[in-house]
Amino acid sequence: EEGVLVSSAIRDITERRRAEEEARRAREMYLRELHHRVKNNLQVVSSLLFLQSRYTTDPNSLSILKESQARVKSIALIHEKLYRSPELTRIDFPEYVRDLVADLFRTYGAEEHSVSVQMRVAVESLEIDTAIPCGLIINELISNVLKHAFPAGRSGTVLIDMSTIGPR
């Protein structure tokens, strides 16, 4: 009644912290394995499309198979990046765009011609739910440019300029 009363409780949370850390590591391992398996399965699909294209002589069918293969590869590349990413939920989007564009240039034989690329990708990283549709859009745009903008070995420059608009 005549002074300050102090009460305290001390609890050792070492075990709880250890269990939380173990659960986090297990989740990361699971996500890495999941991205790795998805990437491998998509690579199998891409290879099957390639094999099918070897037995097709119709130019329209070959084009469809090539485009489908490029789409599958663009999604597989995202899972490859996520598998190797320290975060597991976000990818370095400028690096992804560089790799995707380089792969498309190889696919369409554009590196053999004098077609250059300039990139300004202001988006640092994206989550998988955003990265996949953006990757597919970039895939379609670059594929169309390489197929139609540079016929008969014409030279030129492809400019990729990406930034966010409004709040994120």
Side-chain angles (χ1 to χ4, degrees), residues 4-156:
V4 176
L5 178 62
V6 176
S7 175
S8 68
I10 299 173
R11 189 177 344 163
D12 185 1
I13 61 168
T14 306
E15 276 303 311
R16 187 180 83 198
R17 288 251 169 104
R18 190 175 299 130
E20 287 171 354
E21 180 61 23
E22 190 176 308
R24 187 189 62 75
R25 279 196 302 267
R27 181 180 176 276
E28 283 182 6
M29 187 176 71
Y30 171 75
L31 283 174
R32 282 194 197 288
E33 181 63 23
L34 179 69
H35 289 306
H36 184 66
R37 287 181 183 213
V38 169
K39 175 196 64 103
N40 285 348
N41 288 333
L42 288 169
Q43 286 177 330
V44 167
V45 171
S46 177
S47 296
L48 290 171
L49 290 167
F50 172 76
L51 290 172
Q52 186 63 44
S53 72
R54 298 200 46 176
Y55 296 103
T56 305
T57 57
D58 175 50
N60 192 35
S61 297
L62 281 170
S63 176
I64 291 168
L65 289 169
K66 187 185 225 181
E67 290 170 11
S68 297
Q69 185 180 16
R71 288 181 191 112
V72 169
K73 286 168 92 176
S74 75
I75 298 170
L77 183 58
I78 287 175
H79 286 282
E80 168 81 16
K81 298 290 182 193
L82 285 167
Y83 173 69
R84 297 185 187 288
S85 169
E87 278 190 63
L88 291 172
T89 58
R90 302 180 72 79
I91 64 167
D92 178 334
F93 202 67
E95 177 187 342
Y96 167 72
V97 172
R98 277 191 301 276
D99 291 348
L100 176 60
V101 169
D103 187 57
L104 288 168
F105 267 61
R106 277 190 302 278
T107 298
Y108 288 96
E111 77 275 358
E112 300 166 3
H113 307 294
S114 52
V115 178
S116 63
V117 178
Q118 292 180 6
M119 284 191 250
R120 291 188 298 250
V121 181
V123 180
E124 290 180 23
S125 67
L126 288 179
E127 291 184 358
I128 187 172
D129 292 344
T130 306
I132 288 175
C134 285
L136 289 170
I137 291 168
I138 292 167
N139 180 72
E140 293 302 310
L141 291 172
I142 299 299
S143 295
N144 286 338
V145 164
L146 294 176
K147 285 190 309 189
H148 304 294
F150 303 106
R154 256 179 59 193
S155 63

